[in-house]
Each structure stands twice: as C-alpha cells, then as structure tokens.
Amino acid sequence: MTQHSDAGAPAGPASGAPRRGAMGAAASQRWLAVLLAPLVGLLTLGLTFLYWQSEEKGAQAKQQQNFQVAADQIAYNLKDRMATYEVVLRGVKGYFEGSERIDRSEFQAYVGALELAKTRPGLQGISLILQLPATAMAAHLEDMRQRGFAQYTVRPEGQRDVLAPVTHIEPLEGNNLKALGFDVLTIPAAREALYRARDTGTLALSGQLLLMQDSGPGLVMYLPLYLREADTRTEAGRRAGLTGWVAAPFRMQDVILGLSREFDADIGLRITDSTGHDAVLFSSTAPLQGAATAAAGLEARRVLELGGRRWMLHMAPLPAFASRFRDAGHHAVALLGLALSLLLAWSTWQLATGRQRAVALARSMTAELRATRDDLESTLSAIPDLLFELDLDGRIHHYRSARAEELAVPPEMFLGRLLRDVVPPEAAAGCHVALEAADRTGYSAGHQYRLELQGATHWFELSIARKQNAAPGTAPRFIALSRDITERKRAEARTHQLAYFDALTGLPNRRMLLDRLEHALLSAQQAAQVGAVLYIDLDNFKQINDALGHTLGDALLRQVARRLEEHLRPGDTVAHLGGDEFVVLAHNIAADMDTAGRAALLVAEEIRAALEVPYAIETHLYSTTGSIGITLFPKRGEGVEDLLREADTAMYRAKDLGRNRIRFYEAAMQADVQERLALEQDLKKAHELGQLAAYVQSQVDAQGRVVGGELLMRWNHPVRGNVPPSRFIPVAEASGLILRMGDWMIQQACEALARLQAQGLALSLSVNVSERQFRQDDFVERVRHVLAHTGANPGHLVLEVTESLLIEDLDDTIARMTEIVRLGVRFSIDDFGTGYSSLAYLKRLPLYELKIDKSFVDDTPDDPNDTAIVQSILSVARHLNLRVVAEGVETQAQADFLVQSQCDFLQGYLFARPEPLAAWVARQRGDS
C-alpha cells in the first residue's frame, strides 16, 4: 500500500496541468465565440448604417445641387432675355437719334429685319412715344394724317397739359393698331416709368399694367430720347431736352413660354415685383409652397434688378423633380447588410465562411461607391459648357464638355497645356488676369475670348471659381466654366449693323457719319489739314421713283452707292442719309484752303461724271445726274451739324443753277477755285501749243552799256490774251508745272549763252529758280546736263533764288548750291531785303550777286527810309564782295542816285523793256 501510495503521489499534478490548460483554452474559445458574434454583428451593422446614411445624404445633396443649378439657369436665362430686349431697344434708340425725320417705311424695314417673333418671343413690338404740349396737338394730328393715318386721334379724350401718344409701332398690324395714338401718360404705372427714364436717362421698366393690344397684363421697357443739343449730364437738362421715348411692351407669360425649352419643367416658378408691392407677374404652380413640401422642402429665391425694379424669383421643385432622385438601391443594400450582419454573426463560428462573406460585402460597397462616382461624372459631363480644372499657373488638369464632339475639341487639345497656349495671344493676358482675380476673391466672371474651331470663330465667356476643398498647404485649384456666346456676339453684330448702317445700301447712316465727321474735324484741327464735305442729291429721282416704282428706285440707289464707293480714297467715307441724299467725307486733302478747294472740286467732278453714266437695271438703261454742294473744314467755331448744313445749302444752290452742277458754300472760293483750275488746265497745254515765250530785260552798267539780262517768261493765251506772271506763276508752283517750265527756261538761257559765246559776246543771263525746282533730287544733274548739251559757259549763267528758299533747311541748301557753283554757275538773291535778310547766312552761302527789290528803288532818292535801306544793302554787298543789281529803275533821278551810291548794275524800264529772247540776242550782235 505504502509503496503504491508513494509511487502515485507525484503523478497527480503532472496530469492535472494539461486539463486546466485545455479547459482555459476551451473557455477562451467559448467566450470568443460568444463575444465575437455580437461584435462582428454590431460592427457590420454599424458599417451598413454608415453606408445607408452616406447614400441618403448623397442623394439629398445631389438633389439640392441639381435644383440650385436649375434655379440659377432659370434666373440667368430670364435675365439674359431681358438683356436682349434692352439691346433691341437701344438699337432703335440709336436709329431714332440718328434720323432727323422718321420715315415709316424705313422704320418698318428696320424692325422687320430684327425678326422679333422668331428671335425675341414675348415682345409685342417696338414703338415710339412723343412728348407733346397741349398747344402742339393740332399740328401733331395734321402731321399724322398727312402720313396716311386719316382716322388718327389721341386717346383718351380730355384736356391735359402734356401728352405722350404712341406715334409709331411695329409690326403695325393686328392688336398693335389699338395702341396707335394712345396717351401713355394716362396710365399711372406707365407714367411713373416714363418719368423715371426721363430723369435718369437710363432704361426704366414699368410695373404690371394692362396692355392696349388686348387689355391683358403686361410690362413695358422705356428708353428716353433727347435733343442732340440737350445737356444730359444733369436731371434738369434731361427734363428740358426730352423729346420722347422708345418702348417695348411684352407679356411675361409669353416670355416664359419662349424660354420653356431652357427651363426645367419640373420646377415651379413664381415671379413677383417687389419694388413697392408684391405683385405676381407670373406663376407656374399654385400654391408654390405645396410644391416645395412635396420636394423635401427645397426652395430657392433669386433677385433680379431690371430697369429700376426689383423682381423676386421664387422656385421650388415639383414632385416629379424629387422622384428623379428616389433611388431605393441603397435601402436594399442596407437591408442586405443587416441580413449579412446577422448571418455573419451566426457564421462567425465558421471562419472561412465569415471571411468570404466579408470579402463579398467589401466588393458590394466598392461597387456602390463606383456607381456614385460614375453618376457624378455623368452629371458633370452633361454640362453644355466647357469645364476646366486649372492650377494657379493656368495649366489644365481636367476637361469636360457635353459639346466636345460638336465643337471637335479633343481632350488632348487642352489637357496638360497652359491656358495661355490654348487661347489666342490677344486673349491670354485677360484670361490670366481673370485667374488672378479668382485667386484673390474666390470668383471672377465676364472675360470674353475667341477660339478658331473647325475653321470657324467661336466666342466664349470665362468664369473661374477657386475650389474650397483643397488640403491645407497644397496649391489651389480652380474650376473654369467657358460658355459659348457665339450667337450672342452675332446678335450684337447684327444690332450694330442696323444701328450704324443703312439697310438699303449698306453704307454708313447719318449716325455713323456724324461720328466720323466729328473725328475728322478734330483731326483736321490738330494736324492743320483741310478736309471737305460733299453733299450729293440725285436730280429728278422722285420722278423716276414715282414713275417706275420703289423697287427700281431702290436698285438705282444701290448702284449709286457702289459708284460712290469706287471713287473713294482710302480712309474717306460715303454715307446714305435717306432718300436720294448721299454725303462724301474726304479727309486731309490739302494743307491750305486754296489747294483743298481745287482738290475737292476735282473729286466732285469725278463723282458728277460717274453719276452721269446710264444705269443698267433689269436689261434697261436709266439716266440721272447729281447736284453736289461742297464745304471745307475746319473753320473757326463750326461743328459737324454746321458743316452738313453748309454743304446742303451749297447743294441747293447747284440745283437752282440748273442741276448737275457743283457749288461751294463759300461763294468767293467757288469763283477763285474754278478760275485757278481753268487756268491750270490751260497752262498744261500752253507749252505744247507754243504759247509760252522767253523774254529778256537788259541789265546795264553805270555807263549804260549792256552787261547781261534777266530771262522772264511770258504767256500769250488766244482767249485770255497776255496773262501776267503774277497770275500764272503761283498756279504753276502749286500744280507742279513749274518744274517743266523752269527746266525749259534754263534750257533757253543756255542756248542763248551759247549763241552769244559763238558771236564773241561775254554777256550773262539770269534765270529765276523756284524753291520746288531747286529741291528736286536731280536738279544738280539737270543743270549739268543742259550745260554739257548746249556748250554754254557756266560762268555766264546766273541762277536767281529767293531768301525764303535759303532759310529753309540751310545746311542742305548750302551743300546743293556749293555743288552747282563747282560747275561754274553763279547764284543771285532775288528781291533782297524783302525776306529774312541776315549777314549770318549770307556769309555762309556761295553767292555772286544781290538784287535790290523794286519796292526799295521806287521812292529813292526822295524817301529817306528807302534811301537808307538801299545804301545799307550796297554797304553789305561791298563788305561781302558781292555785285549788286538794282531792279525797277524807271527815272533818271533813281539811276543817278544808284550810280553815285556805287551800285554795280541797273535794270528797269528806263533802259529797256522786256523783249523776245531771239530778238535780244540778235540786237546784241548788231550793237557790238
């Protein structure tokens, strides 16, 4: 027993330790099984709840985002539509302000070209409202009835100090006829808007009122019209200068209907005028609060400030809008997650199964997240504008557009490139400024630029916003929205064309002519240049128009316009003022009035001749002529209206003289210009016909011996007789004929010198050289050629120049004179003492002779002043070793005084009168 006991004693503890370990492990497993299942269940249920809550919030956020985008689109489109109405109204305002008298057919054609029914639905028409005192009512009624409205009257009847009837409305048909003649001031809402437009000088929008067209509710836009001379800088000036208004009535219901394709149909809209009272202008649902309740309480308000009034836009989604976002998929996923959580808790005992289910749940959740991402991508891609994501340097990181395929803009054109490399260079700076503004303020909008896409020009408007979800410390990113505004640009261009150009001929209208004439007048004043205004009126056009019809008359006017354009110089303007009246504005035609008068007359003659050529219209030839009035500018204190009036007056003078004539407004200039032009034409032919002749007046020494002579040009015209040089030389100078005439005189002098030289006579001949002739680049070469060709001794040829030539560009003058003197030719200063006499330049010039002007010789020796001047000139000449010739010596007393004063040579009627060159040369041989 003892032995058994001893043997078994140590065995007990050794066998009990494993059992306790196994029991602990089992207990741990049981606790793990008990705790793990609830923990796993709670964890997966929590994840399921978080997923469901995230999806629910995402759906609500998506609904809120889409609703706000749609609300912004409604407000933007409505504001844009009102802006197009204002553009139309401003174009009509410009049309009325640029026309002295409103021709109804022209106004009808102008408004018809706008195609209001197609392009601006809701606009009832365009009308003109005149402000009239009661005292002018009788004259107004008579004028309207003479225009063809025999039944026209101002309504409603009654005595009022000031009236504002509708005198023009287009389209003039249907219900618009009811508004003609209605006094708009009798409607309180209209009167308030009219006076507000008058006082502010800006667009005014009325409150809701009953339109005269159908007595239905509507609104009216007004723009004031002022006299041209009105001072519109002050309210008092605007009130005093008011002449009327242009108006555009419209019905809000029709406006919304026209925009219905651009609105979300599942959003309710109510528009109220909250300026003074909450008047409902439009409502698509009633009550609007019910719609908001149906769509989870979503609603939006936008405020539009239009024409001095405040519109409140209240928008709420309709039930159909909310139904778009009722995606029950995440509920099913949540229920599935619940079931899976319970199943996972139950199957925790089977680790393999639990792990597989966990992987399946993770995959399901990933798929849902991808679906959400794809939905967001599709929403962004549905935006019709170009959408960019940029960094601060302007580099494009993302690009989306639903119109990318339509515009043929592949993503690689933008991705990774800088914005300044995508847009044209002239737009790059503006885009960079917009990006910097967005970085500073968070948002910038309104910058416009263009792109050339598929060979066509597209205009875009850029808006940039800074993203707010960038991580701290990272570079900012920006979202840029680029909207295609090409159609808007084209509409603006069409409006500009209608406002500044004539619809019939395509020429600038009166408004553009006044603008260009004002700039031309200012430029002429600053540049010291002279321009001309030519007023052209077709002769007997009314008879052609009445006899053959307006269609043929319009075709004739278009051909006249084309002919006038063909005769324009670059930079000049031809405008059509209406009817058969045209105006040509010629810039910078000369530097002085005389030359400008001749140039303007030549232009007018070309136009008059062009208008005389028959016009081919529909295989027939028709003839007409034009009467032209001319005025020159600038003149002191005259404005553009004065110039038009002067040219118009001159045109009527041309008509009074028998039509197809040209007249200047300045009567004296007319005669002078025509005389100078005729003289110039005759002078051109004089040389060819042998009418010009070279004469010589002898020069003698103190003993009366002939030492030489001065060549003088004479012109014997078959009709005019002997034309004095004082008349034809200035014309030759101005026209450039003096160059050919001067060369001929030098040729005559050199040939005569050669003949005298052959006879052994050493006489000198003087020839006058004009400044224009002297300044020719090849003048020196011409003199050299004549001397070589004739063999004349250059030492006997004296070229006479005036002091004014010497003073201008003195260095060039000295260089040229020195070059000629090297040929042996000598120089003389003609009429010395009448110009800028100065020893300073006399000492520098290579001169040979001074000639004392006849005006100083006439009164010597009786007049002490002239006597002193002559003696001073002689003293200067001796000091400079120059010989002196005194001109105009007619008495023996003058000759004796000059000889006593040591004058070298004398010239005048006392010794000889001018005689033909050939006779003079022959006589010198006989005398010798």
Side-chain angles (χ1 to χ4, degrees):
M1 292 290 293
T2 304
Q3 194 175 15
H4 173 77
S5 178
D6 293 339
S15 62
R19 284 198 297 271
R20 285 195 300 271
M23 292 176 61
S28 298
Q29 292 177 358
R30 285 197 299 273
W31 280 109
L32 181 61
V34 171
L35 294 176
L36 186 59
L39 288 174
V40 170
L42 289 174
L43 178 62
T44 54
L45 285 174
L47 292 174
T48 301
F49 173 76
L50 292 176
Y51 164 75
W52 175 85
Q53 188 179 46
S54 174
E55 289 295 313
E56 191 73 6
K57 290 181 179 179
Q60 292 177 2
K62 182 178 179 181
Q63 179 179 354
Q64 174 72 23
Q65 181 183 8
N66 280 266
F67 170 69
Q68 294 297 334
V69 170
D72 287 341
Q73 187 71 22
I74 291 172
Y76 177 86
N77 289 341
L78 182 58
K79 184 175 182 180
D80 190 68
R81 179 55 54 88
M82 293 297 104
T84 62
Y85 288 179
E86 181 179 353
V87 169
V88 170
L89 207 56
R90 290 194 180 278
V92 176
K93 171 183 169 70
Y95 168 78
F96 281 129
E97 288 180 340
S99 304
E100 290 185 347
R101 180 177 175 86
I102 306 305
D103 184 85
R104 189 166 297 279
S105 61
E106 289 184 2
F107 179 49
Q108 184 180 23
Y110 177 90
V111 177
L114 295 176
E115 298 182 339
L116 299 178
K118 295 181 181 179
T119 62
R120 282 99 176 165
L123 202 62
Q124 300 300 300
I126 302 297
S127 61
L128 170 64
I129 301 168
L130 290 183
Q131 177 176 269
L132 299 172
T135 55
M137 181 53 60
H140 172 66
L141 293 175
E142 179 63 23
D143 179 64
M144 291 298 291
R145 290 167 183 170
Q146 286 182 357
R147 290 173 181 246
F149 297 90
Q151 305 300 322
Y152 175 85
T153 185
V154 176
R155 299 171 284 110
E157 298 181 351
Q159 294 295 325
R160 297 179 291 277
D161 294 335
V162 179
L163 303 95
V166 177
T167 61
H168 294 67
I169 187 167
E170 289 293 338
L172 189 59
E173 58 188 19
N175 288 334
N176 277 348
L177 291 170
K178 298 177 182 179
L180 196 64
F182 183 80
D183 185 358
V184 185
L185 286 177
T186 59
I187 302 177
R191 182 170 59 250
E192 181 274 335
L194 287 171
Y195 286 161
R196 178 156 40 86
R198 175 200 66 187
D199 293 342
T200 62
T202 59
L203 179 77
L205 180 65
S206 73
Q208 187 161 263
L209 46 76
L210 294 179
L211 298 178
M212 288 304 299
Q213 282 81 346
D214 54 2
S215 299
L219 303 166
V220 186
M221 286 182 175
Y222 298 104
L223 270 177
L225 299 174
Y226 300 103
L227 294 170
R228 290 190 181 93
E229 62 271 18
D231 182 7
T232 58
R233 295 172 297 179
T234 65
E235 182 176 310
R238 291 191 286 270
R239 289 189 176 187
L242 181 75
T243 60
W245 300 264
V246 289
F250 60 92
R251 283 191 289 264
M252 184 59 69
Q253 191 75 26
D254 294 342
V255 172
I256 301 302
L257 181 61
L259 293 171
S260 59
R261 289 178 297 178
E262 302 174 34
F263 286 358
D264 193 326
D266 294 332
I267 293 181
L269 171 65
R270 184 174 73 243
I271 303 174
T272 59
D273 186 347
S274 61
T275 304
H277 53 83
D278 292 335
V280 178
L281 304 179
F282 171 79
S283 180
S284 62
T285 60
L288 199 61
Q289 289 79 4
T293 303
L298 292 178
E299 63 176 346
R301 296 178 184 272
R302 300 289 186 272
V303 176
L304 296 183
E305 300 286 347
L306 300 170
R309 303 199 72 85
R310 182 185 180 88
W311 286 4
M312 179 66 72
L313 278 62
H314 185 192
M315 292 160 281
L318 300 175
F321 182 89
S323 64
R324 302 180 196 170
F325 306 93
R326 292 175 183 169
D327 184 4
H330 63 284
H331 297 297
V333 172
L335 291 174
L336 179 61
L338 175 62
L340 289 176
S341 299
L342 296 175
L343 181 61
L344 186 63
W346 174 78
S347 60
T348 302
W349 305 94
Q350 304 176 11
L351 296 178
T353 303
R355 181 176 178 278
Q356 292 175 355
R357 291 185 178 276
V359 171
L361 179 61
R363 289 176 178 174
S364 176
M365 295 177 67
T366 301
E368 289 292 334
L369 291 175
R370 286 177 179 173
T372 301
R373 181 200 61 190
D374 294 341
D375 186 59
L376 180 59
E377 289 284 337
S378 64
T379 299
L380 293 175
S381 297
I383 297 175
D385 303 320
L386 301 179
L387 189 66
F388 303 93
E389 183 173 343
L390 313 168
D391 59 22
L392 189 55
D393 295 330
R395 190 172 302 280
I396 302 172
H397 294 275
H398 297 287
Y399 155 72
R400 288 189 182 85
S401 175
R403 300 184 60 193
E405 183 175 324
E406 177 184 344
L407 297 177
V409 185
E412 56 269 18
M413 178 177 176
F414 297 112
L415 292 180
R417 301 180 63 187
L418 293 173
L419 191 60
R420 63 171 176 266
D421 297 332
V422 175
V423 301
E426 61 270 16
C431 292
H432 188 67
V433 170
L435 186 61
E436 290 180 341
D439 183 44
R440 292 193 308 271
T441 64
Y443 180 76
S444 68
H447 177 68
Q448 297 180 359
Y449 66 96
R450 62 177 176 82
L451 287 178
E452 298 296 330
L453 304 174
Q454 285 188 321
T457 300
H458 287 259
W459 280 93
F460 294 89
E461 186 173 71
L462 185 66
S463 301
I464 304 178
R466 187 177 60 232
K467 292 180 67 173
Q468 300 298 328
N469 57 347
T474 60
R477 291 288 183 93
F478 303 86
I479 300 299
L481 193 68
S482 188
R483 169 162 295 176
D484 191 332
I485 58 171
T486 305
E487 287 303 322
R488 189 202 305 174
K489 282 286 187 180
R490 291 173 181 167
E492 291 174 356
R494 288 193 295 269
T495 301
H496 180 272
Q497 178 73 19
L498 291 172
Y500 287 95
F501 290 88
D502 175 51
L504 175 63
T505 63
L507 296 176
N509 60 13
R510 183 184 183 87
R511 182 179 182 183
M512 177 167 282
L513 173 66
L514 292 175
D515 288 345
R516 291 188 178 178
L517 185 53
E518 186 171 355
H519 284 95
L521 183 58
L522 180 61
S523 176
Q525 292 168 344
Q526 294 175 345
Q529 290 287 320
V530 180
V533 177
L534 284 67
Y535 205 111
I536 306 163
D537 186 272
L538 300 183
D539 298 326
N540 303 316
F541 176 75
K542 187 177 187 302
Q543 288 84 336
I544 297 176
N545 210 29
D546 294 342
L548 303 176
H550 292 284
T551 301
L552 189 142
D554 290 347
L556 178 62
L557 291 175
R558 284 192 287 268
Q559 289 199 25
V560 169
R562 300 293 79 80
R563 290 189 185 182
L564 292 175
E565 286 182 316
E566 290 171 359
H567 286 80
L568 282 185
R569 302 180 310 154
D572 289 350
T573 298
V574 57
H576 183 213
L577 299 189
D580 59 347
E581 294 181 337
F582 298 83
V583 171
V584 172
L585 170 60
H587 297 264
N588 301 340
I589 58 176
D592 60 88
M593 285 290 181
D594 289 342
T595 307
R598 294 194 297 276
L601 187 57
L602 290 174
V603 172
E605 282 289 357
E606 290 182 6
I607 292 174
R608 189 186 63 78
L611 296 179
E612 285 183 326
V613 180
Y615 299 84
I617 303 175
E618 297 179 356
T619 71
H620 295 284
L621 294 177
Y622 301 92
S623 296
T624 186
T625 57
S627 297
I628 305 175
I630 306 175
T631 188
L632 304 179
F633 65 87
K635 304 185 190 75
R636 180 173 298 178
E638 287 191 333
V640 294
E641 292 291 352
D642 299 319
L643 294 177
L644 284 180
R645 174 182 51 77
E646 290 176 359
D648 188 28
T649 301
M651 180 270 294
Y652 277 108
R653 288 180 183 170
K655 282 189 176 292
D656 293 340
L657 293 174
R659 305 178 187 276
N660 195 21
R661 302 292 181 89
I662 300 169
R663 294 299 294 172
F664 276 87
Y665 177 76
E666 301 83 356
M669 179 177 287
Q670 174 76 25
D672 181 62
V673 168
Q674 288 185 333
E675 169 62 19
R676 290 175 70 93
L677 186 61
L679 199 64
E680 180 181 326
Q681 298 299 323
D682 288 347
L683 191 56
K684 288 181 180 178
K685 305 173 185 176
H687 187 271
E688 301 171 2
L689 299 177
Q691 297 173 5
L692 297 178
Y695 275 57
V696 181
Q697 186 175 29
S698 297
Q699 297 173 347
V700 301
D701 59 13
Q703 288 74 37
R705 293 189 299 269
V706 175
V707 296
E710 178 184 0
L711 262 68
L712 304 170
M713 184 175 288
R714 293 294 183 263
W715 179 16
N716 185 17
H717 190 273
V719 178
R720 300 176 184 270
N722 289 320
V723 183
S726 59
R727 287 188 60 195
F728 71 82
I729 292 298
V731 174
E733 287 274 9
S735 63
L737 294 174
I738 196 68
L739 301 178
R740 183 172 61 182
M741 294 164 58
D743 289 346
W744 181 74
M745 287 293 284
I746 294 177
Q747 177 80 24
Q748 294 296 307
C750 290
E751 290 177 354
L753 287 173
R755 289 196 296 271
L756 291 170
Q757 183 177 333
Q759 298 168 14
L761 299 176
L763 301 179
S764 65
L765 287 177
S766 300
V767 182
N768 284 282
V769 176
S770 72
E771 180 176 356
R772 192 165 185 174
Q773 183 182 6
F774 181 83
R775 296 297 181 191
Q776 290 184 99
D777 292 338
D778 60 345
F779 178 67
V780 178
E781 190 59 37
R782 286 172 180 268
V783 174
R784 180 185 289 111
H785 174 76
V786 172
L787 289 171
H789 180 72
T790 60
N793 184 349
H796 295 158
L797 177 63
V798 179
L799 301 182
E800 295 187 7
V801 295
T802 61
E803 289 182 273
S804 59
L805 178 145
L806 303 177
I807 293 302
E808 183 176 348
D809 198 356
L810 184 58
D811 291 337
D812 178 72
T813 301
I814 294 173
R816 181 162 298 193
M817 290 178 67
T818 301
E819 191 174 357
I820 294 175
V821 168
R822 290 196 185 106
L823 300 177
V825 180
R826 301 176 178 182
F827 277 96
S828 172
I829 298 182
D830 193 19
D831 301 333
F832 183 76
T834 61
Y836 305 93
S837 303
S838 171
L839 287 175
Y841 76 78
L842 288 178
K843 291 168 59 177
R844 298 178 60 189
L845 293 170
L847 295 175
Y848 169 69
E849 177 183 272
L850 300 181
K851 295 190 75 174
I852 302 176
D853 186 63
K854 180 180 182 298
S855 62
F856 299 126
V857 175
D858 283 343
D859 295 329
T860 58
D862 299 328
D863 188 321
N865 293 325
D866 284 344
T867 300
I869 291 175
V870 170
Q871 291 175 336
S872 298
I873 294 174
L874 292 170
S875 175
V876 169
R878 284 192 296 271
H879 177 75
L880 296 175
N881 295 319
L882 300 176
R883 82 170 191 169
V884 180
V885 178
E887 295 181 301
V889 181
E890 298 180 354
T891 67
Q892 189 61 46
Q894 294 171 349
D896 293 341
F897 163 73
L898 291 167
V899 171
Q900 292 173 6
S901 300
Q902 300 180 8
C903 180
D904 299 309
F905 303 105
L906 309 177
Q907 176 182 340
Y909 286 174
L910 178 64
F911 308 105
R913 289 182 174 273
E915 60 182 305
L917 176 61
W920 184 84
V921 171
R923 189 166 56 82
Q924 301 312 311
R925 180 177 56 188
D927 292 345
S928 63

